[in-house]
Amino acid sequence: MRKIHPKVEEAVDTLDLNPVTRRRLLAGTGLASASLAATALLAGCGEDQPAAKGAGNYPVTPRWKFVFVCHVTAHPFFTPTQYGIADACALLNCDYQWTGSQNSVVAEMVNATNAGVSAKADGIAVAVIDARAFNGPVNAALDAGIPVVSYNADGEPNNPGTNRLAYIGQPLYDSGRSLGEQLIATGFNGGEVVCFIATPGSLNIQPRSDGARDVLKESGVSHTFTQIATGTDLPAELNAIEAYLQGHANIKAALAVDGGSTDALGKTVAKLKLKDKGVIAGGFDLQPGTLESVKGGSLDYTIDQQPYLQGFLPVMALYLYKLSGGLVSPCDTNTSLSFVTKENVAQFQDVKTRFEGSDTAQKIVPRSGGIPHK
Amino acid sequence: MTAPTTTPRRLVRRGVDEFLRFREASILLVTIALVVYFQTATPVFLTEGNLVTISHYVAPVAIIAAGQVLLLVSGEIDLSVGHMYALAPFLMLYGMNSGLPVLPAIALALAAGAAVGLVNGLVTVVLGVPSFVTTLGMLFLLSGITLVTSNAYPAPIPDGARGVSGWLGGGPWAEIIWAIAIVVVFQIVLSRTRWGLHTVAVGGNAHGASEAGVRVRNIKIGNFMITSLLGAFTGILEAFRITSIEPLAGGSGIMFAAVAAAVIGGTALAGGSGTIVGAFLGAVVLGVLRDGFNLIGISANRFDLILGAAILIAMVLNVYLARLRTRGAV
């Protein structure tokens, strides 16, 4: 027999095969050996070791497995979310699976959730991007005794769309209100306001725009509020935003409610030198271009919804539910109340960390000086 | 003179040969191997709940693949079918919003599907635009119509449609039953009717077929209409299944899955040969892989990696067996 790398043998041992299959697999014969070997290697990469001792003070537990169903599994926004999940699972001797759809196809997410129920997952976290489709699968999971939380997205405003135990993420409407409140706090005192949005009506961004609109209305500051659709790819967003801002010389404030539009807004404000006219600009998320604009001053602020916590905290909640036999129940958690401004942007931009998804390495992030407050 | 000796061994050998001569044999073997593997890897694989989940992975791909095979065999392709899938349930909704009862509203959506196929077909065969380009344009056009008319906002299944929901994807097994029925019907069409014979002839050699009196244009247009109509029907089934009408449903993902299923099942992309049962088995392979990977807990990013490798391995095996078959080795 050819020489087999010890790592491969070790990985194959995790498969629990009979001796003949094992030999054939190692010799590389047989129809399924390639896929078997691939699976074994993946499994061998550290997901299936039994827990030697309990986490911290806790008793030894089985390696509970939590399934995360996401609507855009490969989106960079969720990179820190996956690090959060991985870190929490490493703390607690658990396993996880990151699955769902690559481009918001709800049917695929529903299938992945149902497969999680069939596989008897120990807990499920779902990004509920549709207010109806997940009701059945979530009920099926709860009926099967599997705790379910939602993360990142939670149906429509006033309608969570499922019977999940709790939501961990950013309440979208409230975060929109924060966007508007920060605009007033930054010195907005009336005039034309424009709000850029990638896809009007989309459940995961429209409520933000509504929140900003309502806060401005309630503030009593005299203004007009216009919502402009920009589309979903950056070049097109740049065109749409530049066209609008060039055509409206009296704009006093420009807001954006999604990561792409915010990035494009910052670039356009810089290009048209709108800061010279005193335009206030703000938006959402921490795309590299957005941070650049905050640093350069063309964006006054952007809202961080802390994607790391959207992975870390659901694992904690599901783990405690399992550990306590359901006595410690997941609670709604708002992960969003953090503004990034010129004062604190350096710590996001200059330091590469797992918490923002910009680095894979584990390390302590140093900070110094006072903590900004009102 | 002595009768040829038929030892049991030779009988088995002949049985194997007979089996492998079926075009679908290799893919069936792959399917069985995968099922055996996943059942050994996780005992819940063959439970009823999971079989229902697998059927939900398989059915939409299998139905669209049935149409796509007809088109591929006749030498064309429809890239827009996934976007017809997204638009159709919205058309049903708009129909019901304007006062139609549910069944006429569904008929309207299906007719729209056939009409889109007609346009695809006319532009392709009459104006001579390659179907890859025609249907690429149609892909964006349909997507635009869906997004604009729906404001990119999902809608619930209207209350008036609840009554038929169980038949149309609401019931756990409804979708796969439709899929199997459609596969059987269109396999018969392809291999037992004049339409099927002409489809193969057109894809194998359009010029020769036309000389022999086959109405090449009609065959192609008809197959475009069938594909688009099946896409519309699948979209409606899926909307009923997930109880929500989604502007981002279907799309290029399901279209490519259907083409992959067809190709895995032995359909030649260049036209002239293919089977719908093979495409169904291709859809089963894709569905079993996706479900199985979810069951054993492979994360999404590795998933594409393994899926891609699995498709390539299945294809290489397929081509290899096909070569043996033409050489007469089996």
Side-chain angles (χ1 to χ4, degrees):
Chain A
M1 202 158 103
R2 279 166 295 162
K3 201 168 165 0
I4 304 293
H5 191 281
K7 268 286 165 213
V8 175
E9 281 214 66
E10 199 179 288
V12 169
D13 285 339
T14 64
L15 275 179
D16 197 17
L17 302 167
N18 69 45
V20 178
T21 323
R22 183 177 182 280
R23 207 159 45 238
R24 292 188 57 192
L25 174 57
L26 287 174
T29 55
L31 198 65
S33 75
S35 72
L36 267 176
T39 316
L41 274 173
L42 290 175
C45 295
E47 284 192 4
D48 277 335
Q49 295 99 0
K53 65 185 223 19
N57 269 341
Y58 293 135
V60 175
T61 62
R63 279 191 82 83
W64 284 321
K65 182 163 155 211
F66 304 122
V67 175
F68 278 73
V69 180
C70 180
H71 50 297
V72 278
T73 51
H75 194 290
F77 173 89
F78 286 106
T79 302
T81 307
Q82 292 174 69
Y83 290 152
I85 299 167
D87 292 352
C89 284
L91 272 182
L92 301 172
N93 297 327
C94 298
D95 288 327
Y96 73 96
Q97 181 189 12
W98 181 253
T99 183
S101 166
Q102 276 187 358
N103 34 21
S104 293
V105 176
V106 171
E108 283 179 20
M109 298 176 68
V110 166
N111 287 347
T113 313
N114 286 334
V117 177
S118 298
K120 302 190 170 62
D122 295 293
I124 298 178
V126 191
V128 181
I129 60 161
D130 181 281
R132 285 161 292 274
F134 293 96
N135 196 30
V138 168
N139 283 346
L142 295 173
D143 289 344
I146 301 172
V148 182
V149 297
S150 58
Y151 72 103
N152 185 260
D154 192 43
E156 300 167 329
N158 304 319
N159 173 20
T162 66
N163 295 312
R164 87 283 183 283
L165 303 175
Y167 172 56
I168 295 161
Q170 184 184 54
L172 293 164
Y173 178 78
D174 293 348
S175 75
R177 292 187 65 95
S178 303
L179 182 76
E181 282 159 7
Q182 184 71 9
L183 179 63
I184 293 167
T186 313
F188 174 71
N189 51 15
E192 279 183 36
V193 180
V194 60
C195 181
F196 295 107
I197 179 166
T199 47
S202 283
L203 286 188
N204 55 339
I205 45 179
Q206 180 67 50
R208 290 177 175 166
S209 176
D210 296 345
R213 180 197 62 204
D214 291 354
V215 141
L216 288 172
K217 202 185 283 172
E218 290 160 19
S219 73
V221 178
S222 134
H223 71 283
T224 60
F225 187 94
T226 315
Q227 177 172 296
I228 297 294
T230 59
T232 50
D233 64 318
L234 194 61
E237 288 178 301
L238 276 170
N239 295 345
I241 291 176
E242 185 173 343
Y244 186 87
L245 291 179
Q246 269 183 334
H248 295 77
N250 295 326
I251 288 288
K252 290 285 174 254
L255 303 175
V257 292
D258 58 281
S261 295
T262 306
D263 190 346
L265 174 62
K267 289 185 165 72
T268 311
V269 167
K271 184 176 175 188
L272 303 180
K273 299 195 167 58
L274 295 181
K275 280 321 242 181
D276 299 349
K277 294 196 209 162
V279 172
I280 303 172
F284 276 89
D285 294 349
L286 306 181
Q287 297 194 358
T290 300
L291 291 177
E292 198 64 45
S293 297
V294 172
K295 191 182 182 189
S298 54
L299 284 178
D300 293 272
Y301 58 96
T302 186
I303 295 178
D304 180 11
Q305 57 169 311
Q306 310 210 73
Y308 183 88
L309 286 182
Q310 294 183 8
F312 188 87
L313 293 179
V315 173
M316 292 290 159
L318 294 169
Y319 178 86
L320 286 175
Y321 186 93
K322 291 291 286 184
L323 188 70
S324 67
L327 290 174
V328 178
S329 203
C331 55
D332 288 338
T333 310
N334 184 347
T335 63
S336 74
L337 295 171
S338 159
F339 289 101
V340 178
T341 61
K342 205 167 182 173
E343 283 72 52
N344 63 356
V345 68
Q347 78 187 68
F348 292 93
Q349 203 187 19
D350 301 345
V351 189
K352 303 286 175 228
T353 74
R354 279 171 81 82
F355 304 109
E356 301 300 333
S358 50
D359 192 4
T360 58
Q362 293 285 8
K363 63 189 169 205
I364 299 174
V365 184
R367 80 171 299 283
S368 58
I371 298 172
H373 59 91
K374 280 181 186 164
Chain B
M1 184 182 136
T2 55
T5 52
T6 49
T7 62
R9 194 169 176 171
R10 200 175 278 179
L11 267 179
V12 169
R13 169 85 207 185
R14 195 195 293 164
V16 170
D17 284 359
E18 288 288 322
F19 173 72
L20 286 179
R21 227 166 265 145
F22 279 104
R23 263 195 293 198
E24 293 87 0
S26 45
I27 190 66
L28 186 61
L29 284 179
V30 172
T31 313
I32 292 169
L34 285 173
V35 170
V36 169
Y37 167 60
F38 282 121
Q39 178 63 22
T40 359
T42 158
V44 296
F45 187 74
L46 291 177
T47 56
E48 191 191 344
N50 192 53
L51 289 177
V52 169
T53 307
I54 296 175
S55 81
H56 292 162
Y57 278 107
V58 172
V61 175
I63 298 176
I64 292 181
Q68 203 72 269
V69 165
L70 286 175
L71 259 185
L72 289 170
V73 168
S74 58
E76 305 290 348
I77 191 168
D78 183 353
L79 303 180
S80 68
V81 63
H83 291 84
M84 191 60 234
Y85 165 123
L87 178 58
F90 277 108
L91 292 176
M92 174 192 84
L93 175 74
Y94 303 151
M96 291 187 72
N97 285 348
S98 56
L100 284 179
V102 57
L103 291 179
I106 291 174
L108 174 88
L110 295 180
V116 166
L118 180 65
V119 174
N120 279 338
L122 286 174
V123 173
T124 303
V125 304
V126 177
L127 302 181
V129 179
S131 59
F132 194 94
V133 179
T134 310
T135 58
L136 185 67
M138 188 57 85
L139 179 161
F140 289 113
L141 194 64
L142 293 179
S143 168
I145 293 173
T146 307
L147 292 177
V148 168
T149 56
S150 69
N151 292 318
Y153 202 82
I157 295 284
D159 287 337
R162 294 273 154 78
V164 297
S165 152
W167 292 87
L168 289 168
W173 297 103
E175 251 191 322
I176 194 75
I177 292 172
W178 279 106
I180 291 171
I182 286 169
V183 164
V184 168
V185 167
F186 282 98
Q187 181 63 51
I188 291 171
V189 167
L190 182 61
S191 56
R192 292 268 184 273
T193 67
R194 180 184 297 178
W195 183 273
L197 183 69
H198 286 182
T199 296
V200 176
V202 164
N205 180 349
H207 199 69
S210 136
E211 300 266 290
V214 174
R215 304 172 87 170
V216 174
R217 291 182 166 191
N218 289 4
I219 295 287
K220 287 193 173 181
I221 292 175
N223 285 334
F224 272 112
M225 291 174 69
I226 291 171
T227 306
S228 212
L229 190 145
L230 288 178
F233 184 61
T234 314
I236 291 171
L237 288 182
E238 283 279 273
F240 276 107
R241 175 169 78 80
I242 68 169
T243 67
S244 180
I245 305 176
E246 289 286 325
L248 291 179
S252 313
I254 190 121
M255 182 273 296
F256 279 123
V259 172
V263 173
I264 292 173
T267 295
L269 268 182
S273 93
T275 82
I276 289 168
V277 171
F280 178 78
L281 290 173
V284 172
V285 165
L286 290 177
V288 164
L289 278 173
R290 302 212 70 157
D291 177 78
F293 287 167
N294 268 329
L295 278 194
I296 61 179
I298 291 181
S299 284
N301 297 350
R302 296 168 178 178
F303 193 92
D304 275 3
L305 190 81
I306 298 175
L307 193 65
I311 290 176
L312 284 175
I313 292 170
M315 286 311 299
V316 169
L317 270 177
N318 231 358
V319 171
Y320 182 67
L321 273 177
R323 199 171 298 151
L324 288 183
R325 217 175 283 129
T326 44
R327 262 198 239 138
V330 293

